[in-house]
């Protein structure tokens, strides 16, 4: 009987600790939201156009899917968006014009990928698609298994249409300085787990994964004033340039695999 009472006391203490931790994290999330705000609004710059149209050869169709990173929120000019930078660099690399089509929507979770694909014109076919998504899944506490399954469905759908896919995995949310500790450390672990799940999905389906956490995360951590935009949450023009540089080799590889 004494053991039962002791076990009950331990369980009660654990519940109190868990409730206390949730309360701390909820307060810290509110602090982060106030610090970040929405100084950039919720609409990204329209960068859809043919980039380097004077180049010879057929036009490459580049599709961007995902969240605010894929949409380029935080860039001040269309050439600074992630899509604009990837399109320009791809055109320069292959010496062909690139037409950018951005279906990515600010604030999207992985569940929105299906709708983004549905929004495309019926006769549209991309030569290569880039998906960057995951940050909102983490901040909205979507299980990594659920988000990665939604990503997998989008990849398979694109590949069934003959479009190779590049996946920029979830960035390290531990680089977000406006988020206080220990919430920032928790977001870092959660984003790492989702990135690993996204990588597994990419390899399993034949997409090309790009580990943004490893390739650009250290720079965002070391140089936040340069890499982040006004809200200290979305990339700056420099941050998008570094991210595009990380994605470009995979985009070229995926595109050449189609030919």
């Amino acid at each position: 009987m004494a053991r039962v009472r002791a076990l009950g006391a331990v369980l009660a203490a654990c519940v109190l600790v868990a409730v206390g931790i949730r309360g701390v994290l909820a307060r810290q999330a509110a602090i982060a939201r106030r610090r970040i705000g929405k100084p950039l609004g919720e609409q990204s710059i329209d960068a859809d156009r043919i980039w380097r149209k004077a180049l010879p050869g057929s036009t490459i169709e580049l599709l961007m899917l995902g969240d605010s990173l894929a949409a380029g929120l935080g860039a001040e000019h269309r050439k600074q968006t992630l899509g604009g930078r990837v399109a320009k660099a791809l055109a320069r690399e292959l010496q062909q014009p690139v037409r950018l089509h951005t279906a990515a929507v600010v604030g999207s979770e992985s569940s929105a990928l299906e709708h983004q694909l549905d929004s495309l014109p019926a006769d549209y076919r991309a030569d290569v698609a880039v998906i960057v998504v995951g940050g909102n899944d983490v901040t909205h506490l979507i299980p990594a298994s659920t988000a990665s399954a939604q990503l997998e469905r989008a990849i398979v759908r694109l590949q069934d249409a003959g479009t190779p896919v590049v996946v920029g995995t979830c960035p390290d949310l531990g680089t977000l300085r406006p988020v206080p500790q220990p919430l920032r450390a928790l977001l870092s672990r959660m984003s790492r787990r989702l990135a690993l799940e996204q990588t597994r999905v990419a390899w399993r389906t034949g997409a090309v994964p790009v580990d943004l956490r490893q390739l650009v995360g250290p720079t965002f951590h070391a140089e936040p004033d340069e890499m982040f935009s006004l809200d200290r949450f979305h990339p700056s023009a420099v941050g998008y340039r570094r991210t595009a540089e990380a994605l470009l080799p995979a985009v070229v590889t995926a595109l050449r695999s189609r030919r």
Side-chain angles (χ1 to χ4, degrees):
M1 193 67 172
R3 289 181 179 177
V4 172
R5 286 197 297 270
L7 179 59
V10 170
L11 290 175
C14 290
V15 169
L16 289 173
V17 169
V19 170
I21 290 174
R22 284 199 295 270
V24 169
L25 295 178
R27 287 193 295 273
Q28 291 190 338
I31 291 171
R33 285 193 293 270
R34 287 197 301 271
R35 288 178 178 176
I36 294 169
K38 293 185 178 180
L40 304 174
E42 297 182 349
Q43 294 294 324
S44 58
I45 294 173
D46 183 3
D48 288 1
R49 54 170 288 189
I50 298 179
W51 294 86
R52 303 292 177 91
K53 67 167 57 178
L55 288 172
S58 58
T59 300
I60 297 169
E61 298 288 344
L62 169 64
L63 174 63
M64 298 293 296
L65 297 162
D67 55 23
S68 55
L69 271 69
L73 186 66
E76 296 181 0
H77 305 284
R78 60 186 181 182
K79 66 181 181 180
Q80 297 172 344
T81 63
L82 183 60
R85 289 195 178 279
V86 172
K88 285 193 304 177
L90 183 61
R92 184 170 55 247
E93 176 75 17
L94 299 182
Q95 288 297 293
Q96 291 177 246
V98 175
R99 180 186 286 110
L100 172 65
H101 185 100
T102 305
V105 177
V106 174
S108 290
E109 300 170 5
S110 297
S111 60
L113 293 173
E114 182 176 4
H115 176 72
Q116 291 176 18
L117 290 172
D118 288 341
S119 72
L120 298 173
D123 60 348
Y124 177 79
R125 294 293 181 271
D127 293 310
V128 63
V130 176
I131 303 176
V132 182
V133 73
N136 294 309
D137 293 282
V138 172
T139 58
H140 295 159
L141 304 180
I142 305 299
S145 58
T146 300
S148 60
Q150 292 162 341
L151 171 65
E152 182 167 1
R153 286 194 289 273
I155 294 173
V156 171
R157 183 171 167 182
L158 284 162
Q159 291 177 330
D160 285 347
T163 301
V165 182
V166 172
V167 176
T169 60
C170 185
D172 182 7
L173 299 191
T175 62
L176 301 176
R177 299 294 178 87
V179 179
Q181 296 287 16
L183 179 57
R184 194 194 317 162
L186 176 61
L187 291 180
S188 181
R189 289 195 295 271
M190 292 172 63
S191 58
R192 180 177 182 273
R193 180 181 176 186
L194 178 55
L196 289 173
E197 290 292 332
Q198 291 173 325
T199 300
R200 293 189 185 103
V201 163
W203 285 125
R204 184 165 63 245
T205 57
V208 184
V210 177
D211 188 345
L212 296 180
R213 181 187 186 95
Q214 179 179 4
L215 293 176
V216 300
T219 306
F220 274 81
H221 180 77
E223 304 171 16
D225 292 339
E226 184 177 8
M227 301 299 290
F228 284 102
S229 61
L230 179 64
D231 65 358
R232 298 182 294 167
F233 187 88
H234 294 91
S236 64
V238 177
Y240 279 125
R241 186 187 72 204
R242 292 298 296 271
T243 305
E245 289 170 352
L247 289 168
L248 181 62
V251 175
V252 172
T253 297
L255 187 59
R256 285 175 172 163
S257 71
R258 183 176 184 268
R259 298 179 173 183

